[in-house]
């Protein structure tokens, strides 16, 4: 799992000139997706998704946008551990070591999606949407989101460079609220990277007040 500072995150594409609108915190989902699609299309980039607790909700929102086939490749709904292994190549050992709701697993999911779909961006989501299934270390509302970006190294046009980032949130509300919040943050992370702002835990805390850094729980009722 890679942790990168905003100023040092490598292999980011040049910022799109319309990025200010799509990174605006109050922007509604549909306009954000439209701006995301325009940014990807203008640079010939494509996106894939790998979903667990959101059950295809991210893909459904992306394909509500007319013409999304120009930039959205497709995705996987890998709800079980077995599906994550079979479809995305997640190492079986991770489920025993850290569990399905973890940074290591969403990173592996994102990597698997970007490699299998042969795209430039991928995002993966795994969490405990509730109402049951939570624990002391992974309470209901805990969601890990992972992003990956693949660019061709300037020195060798055949050598792909893959950067990844994963971070954790604890979203308030019922099952649907947790799933919806996961979608919005997944989009925020994509927009941030396309805007040249990079991926970092500091940046993630701006995407949502429900960000839960590795140091401990940060809960918000807002």
């Amino acid at each position: 799992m890679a942790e990168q500072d905003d100023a040092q995150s490598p292999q980011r594409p040049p910022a799109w000139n319309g990025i200010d609108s799509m990174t605006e915190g109050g922007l509604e989902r549909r306009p954000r997706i439209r701006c995301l699609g325009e940014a990807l299309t203008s640079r010939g980039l494509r996106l894939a998704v790998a979903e667990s607790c959101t059950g295809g909700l991210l893909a459904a929102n992306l394909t509500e946008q007319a013409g999304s086939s120009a930039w959205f490749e497709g995705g996987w709904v890998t709800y079980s551990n077995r599906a994550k292994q079979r479809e995305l190549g997640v190492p079986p050992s991770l489920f025993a070591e850290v569990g399905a709701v973890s940074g290591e697993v969403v990173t592996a999911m994102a990597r698997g999606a970007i490699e299998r779909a042969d795209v430039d961006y991928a995002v993966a989501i795994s969490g405990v949407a509730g109402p049951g299934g939570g624990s002391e270390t992974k309470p209901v509302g805990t969601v890990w989101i992972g992003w990956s970006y693949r660019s061709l190294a300037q020195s060798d046009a055949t050598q792909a460079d893959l950067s990844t980032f994963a971070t954790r949130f604890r979203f308030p509300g019922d099952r649907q609220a947790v799933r919806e919040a996961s979608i919005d943050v997944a989009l925020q992370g994509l927009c941030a990277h396309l805007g040249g702002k990079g991926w970092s835990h500091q940046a993630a805390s701006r995407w949502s007040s429900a960000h839960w850094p590795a140091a401990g729980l940060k809960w918000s009722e807002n």
Side-chain angles (χ1 to χ4, degrees):
M1 180 176 61
E3 179 177 347
Q4 300 166 350
D5 295 330
D6 285 347
Q8 299 176 341
S9 180
Q11 302 301 329
R12 293 199 304 271
W16 183 58
N17 59 12
I19 204 72
D20 287 344
S21 63
M22 63 193 265
T23 57
E24 184 178 325
L27 192 65
E28 294 183 357
R29 187 182 298 171
R30 284 192 176 183
R32 188 184 303 282
I33 291 174
R34 184 177 64 250
C35 291
L36 173 65
E38 290 172 356
L40 291 168
T41 302
S42 69
R43 289 141 71 177
L45 303 175
R46 296 185 67 79
L47 167 69
V49 300
E51 303 181 64
S52 185
C53 68
T54 48
L57 185 60
L58 176 55
N61 274 266
L62 295 174
T63 54
E64 282 182 1
Q65 176 67 41
S68 56
S69 60
W71 50 270
F72 180 59
E73 185 73 18
W76 290 261
V77 177
T78 52
Y79 206 68
S80 70
N81 292 351
R82 187 172 65 172
K84 292 177 179 68
Q85 295 173 48
R86 181 183 65 246
E87 304 297 330
L88 298 171
V90 177
S93 60
L94 289 181
F95 300 108
E97 294 169 0
V98 293
V101 181
S102 65
E104 291 85 351
V105 166
V106 293
T107 297
M109 289 170 65
R111 285 180 174 270
I114 206 169
E115 291 168 356
R116 284 161 170 72
D118 191 23
V119 293
D120 309 281
Y121 277 101
V123 60
I125 305 172
S126 182
V128 185
S135 66
E136 183 177 352
T137 57
K138 298 177 183 180
V140 170
T142 302
V143 177
W144 277 91
I145 304 178
W147 296 264
S148 60
Y149 169 66
R150 181 171 59 184
S151 64
L152 293 178
Q154 296 296 321
S155 59
D156 183 353
T158 66
Q159 180 63 42
D161 183 75
L162 183 64
S163 57
T164 61
F165 173 71
T167 196
R168 177 176 57 173
F169 300 84
R170 187 187 176 191
F171 298 117
D174 61 12
R175 182 178 181 85
Q176 187 63 22
V178 170
R179 285 155 51 97
E180 296 286 352
S182 300
I183 299 308
D184 287 328
V185 171
L187 293 170
Q188 284 271 49
L190 288 168
C191 291
H193 198 270
L194 278 160
K197 296 183 178 180
W199 289 321
S200 71
H201 295 293
Q202 181 179 8
S205 68
R206 296 193 293 269
W207 306 337
S208 172
S209 60
H211 183 241
W212 180 1
L217 176 64
K218 179 179 179 182
W219 174 257
S220 172
E221 293 289 351
N222 297 325

